[in-house]
Amino acid sequence: GGLILTAAFVVIEAVAGFLTNSLALVSDAGHMLADSAGLILALGAATLARRPAAGRHTYGYARFEVLVVPIHVVLLAFIAGYIVFESVSHLRSTPEIATGPVIAVGIGGLMVNLLVVRLLHNHSADNLNLRAASLVASVYAVGSVVVVFSAVVIALGGLAGLDALVGLAIAAQRLRDAAPRCPSPSPRA
């Protein structure tokens, strides 16, 4: 249920972002799209991994869970790269942002994310994956608050480039998430 709500709102947020010239909204939509796609990929891989070993797959299909990670990382990097490119362009030309719709969509995003947190929290006590998904939805809620805040500041005559800066901050977060995590070497005895 939470994944469907999030995926549906991604479309609303992306369309609103493009129509209002808000990179903050587009970036937040990209953030939610990448994570929703990651969850769908992980769910599909976990389903395949449960299949029993057979024929030439003598160890089963567990490797699918590993193979989806690079796909997700490439998607994250692509979305973040697009946002960085567009943010730099917006910082140079500073297009006018239709702040009213941005605020409305940002508040809608906050409500959807809080609902998803609530739905997942009720079922996450015994499931680590649902707890992680609840945490991700909480991060989305914070992103929505930042989008609303930046639009309010712009509407009150604040820095017009704030929208692009918020887009860059969200993209930086995506790039950080996309960076491969290498374990630090353990000290030798």
Side-chain angles (χ1 to χ4, degrees), residues 86-154:
E86 287 297 322
S87 293
V88 170
S89 173
H90 278 222
L91 285 171
R92 288 185 184 147
S93 64
T94 318
E96 188 170 331
I97 308 296
T99 55
V102 172
I103 293 168
V105 172
I107 291 171
L110 177 61
M111 296 303 161
V112 166
N113 290 317
L114 291 176
L115 177 62
V116 170
V117 168
R118 174 105 172 130
L119 289 171
L120 292 174
H121 180 74
N122 291 339
H123 304 288
S124 65
D126 298 326
N127 188 311
L128 185 60
N129 288 327
L130 288 178
R131 243 180 290 169
S134 180
L135 180 62
V136 167
S138 299
V139 171
Y140 294 161
V142 171
S144 295
V145 169
V146 172
V147 168
V148 170
F149 175 77
S150 69
V152 168
V153 169
I154 293 168

Side-chain angles (χ1 to χ4, degrees), residues 26-82:
V26 171
S27 186
D28 198 43
H31 173 123
M32 291 170 60
L33 171 68
D35 283 344
S36 295
L39 288 171
I40 291 167
L41 286 170
L43 191 64
T47 302
L48 283 173
R50 284 193 209 117
R51 292 179 64 188
R56 43 178 255 223
H57 299 285
T58 56
Y59 288 103
Y61 296 85
R63 80 175 101 183
F64 282 108
E65 290 180 307
V66 174
L67 294 175
V68 299
V69 172
I71 295 168
H72 188 223
V73 168
V74 168
L75 179 62
L76 287 170
F78 175 77
I79 290 170
Y82 170 77

Side-chain angles (χ1 to χ4, degrees), residues 4-18 29-30 32-33 105:
I4 293 168
L5 273 173
T6 301
F9 199 77
V10 163
V11 174
I12 294 167
E13 197 171 39
V15 169
F18 284 113
M32 291 170 60
L33 171 68
V105 172

